[in-house]
Amino acid sequence: MTAHNLDDMDETTRSSAVRDGLGVGIAVGLAGLAFGAAAATAGLTVAQACALSVFAFTGASQFALVGVVAGGGSLVAGTAGALLLGARNGLYGLRMADLLGVRGWRRLPVAHGVIDETTAVSLAQPDARAARTGFFVTFATLYLTWNATTLLGAAGVSRLADPDVLGLDAVGPATFLAILWPRLTGGGPDVRTLRLIAGGGAAAALATTPFTPPGVPVLIAAAAVLAVVLRRPA
């Protein structure tokens, strides 16, 4: 194979990684509208909702936090549950560190972008160079879109006299379920295990709901699921 053909292949794989990153970043980033609406409905200010998206930047954890607050739970319980859910990003980081090859102070901002979507796009690429391209394009696109739509969603709902009239209190749980559903209904050898883990977490939350304050059942379920995941062999 000639050098020219290799260059063509590199450009093709890079272009494909860029398309993947843009597509995923925009599609998932639009869900920031739902988060902003859910956060405002839960009683957070526009500034607080935007700060969560800027500094937390992990959708499942953000929805979990505002869901607990909306249900009457404490901020401590909501934050603890969000941190447990976000712990999976640290596991992704172990896999992504060598692939991205980032060194020094740059590791801190890059680590902020190690989430489900950036990891998935990166690992789906055929070589390391395309993987890095996919990661950074997804990160940049998703971060900008998510934060912009969070602002729009929160600002829009904050202008309503009574957001509950529109039933926006259901936006958070519904979107959280929408994030999880494709993972539980797709193919692959791990789907059965994922369903068992999700079912166990749901059972733990339901069993403890009558006896614990709002937010604590989510925390218990998240802790149980994380314990199972950490015990699984690589």
Side-chain angles (χ1 to χ4, degrees):
M1 184 175 291
T2 66
H4 179 71
N5 289 335
L6 288 173
D7 289 341
D8 287 344
M9 290 180 61
D10 288 343
E11 186 61 31
T12 299
T13 56
R14 183 177 179 278
S15 298
S16 178
V18 170
R19 287 195 300 270
D20 291 346
L22 289 173
V24 171
I26 293 173
V28 177
L30 291 175
L33 283 168
F35 171 71
T41 304
L44 274 67
T45 66
V46 175
Q48 288 171 332
C50 290
L52 268 176
S53 285
V54 169
F55 296 110
F57 186 54
T58 174
S61 295
Q62 292 179 232
F63 276 111
L65 191 154
V66 299
V68 169
V69 173
S74 69
L75 187 59
V76 172
T79 302
L83 287 173
L84 280 173
L85 285 174
R88 72 193 188 283
N89 295 334
L91 301 179
Y92 296 157
L94 296 176
R95 174 67 180 86
M96 297 294 291
D98 291 337
L99 183 61
L100 296 176
V102 180
R103 299 289 182 266
W105 64 269
R106 295 179 181 85
R107 296 184 110 184
L108 184 60
V110 170
H112 194 50
V114 178
I115 57 175
D116 295 338
E117 291 78 13
T118 55
T119 301
V121 171
S122 183
L123 295 181
Q125 305 308 317
D127 57 57
R129 185 177 180 183
R132 288 190 288 271
T133 298
F135 174 87
F136 287 110
V137 171
T138 306
F139 180 18
T141 306
L142 180 51
Y143 190 80
L144 293 174
T145 307
W146 181 267
N147 280 281
T149 53
T150 293
L151 174 59
L152 290 174
V157 171
S158 67
R159 293 178 178 276
L160 298 175
D162 184 8
D164 290 340
V165 172
L166 300 179
L168 293 176
D169 54 324
V171 168
T175 305
F176 191 60
L177 179 61
I179 292 172
L180 295 177
W181 192 252
R183 303 171 190 225
L184 301 178
T185 57
D190 292 332
V191 171
R192 179 177 173 82
T193 302
L194 290 174
R195 290 173 180 170
L196 290 173
I197 292 174
L206 289 172
T208 55
T209 294
F211 313 106
T212 57
V216 174
V218 175
L219 181 59
I220 293 173
V225 169
L226 183 60
V228 172
V229 171
L230 291 177
R231 288 176 61 87
R232 291 184 65 200

